[in-house]
Amino acid sequence: MATTKFDRAGEPHTEVTTTEARQATRVGMIWVLTISLALAVIAGLALGYGWITLPWSA
């Protein structure tokens, strides 16, 4: 379970266990999927229009 601890300056910060850190939220997974797909589409368009070339296609 996440715990709140205070550093030397008295500022609170939350610490999570390694198990909690590995658990992705559904919103986080959707963001990663959306951004990954957007980057793949951009790269595909760039290759298709010749804006970038692959080293072995020259």
Side-chain angles (χ1 to χ4, degrees):
M1 188 161 111
T3 58
T4 301
K5 294 189 176 181
F6 295 92
D7 58 12
R8 290 185 182 183
E11 296 292 325
H13 64 276
T14 304
E15 290 186 357
V16 295
T17 64
T18 55
T19 302
E20 289 172 328
R22 287 189 201 106
Q23 294 174 344
T25 63
R26 190 173 304 271
V27 174
M29 289 189 295
I30 290 172
W31 270 107
V32 169
L33 176 65
T34 304
I35 292 170
S36 298
L37 288 173
L39 289 173
V41 167
I42 292 169
L45 289 172
L47 282 169
Y49 283 110
W51 296 330
I52 57 173
T53 58
L54 298 174
W56 53 84
S57 65

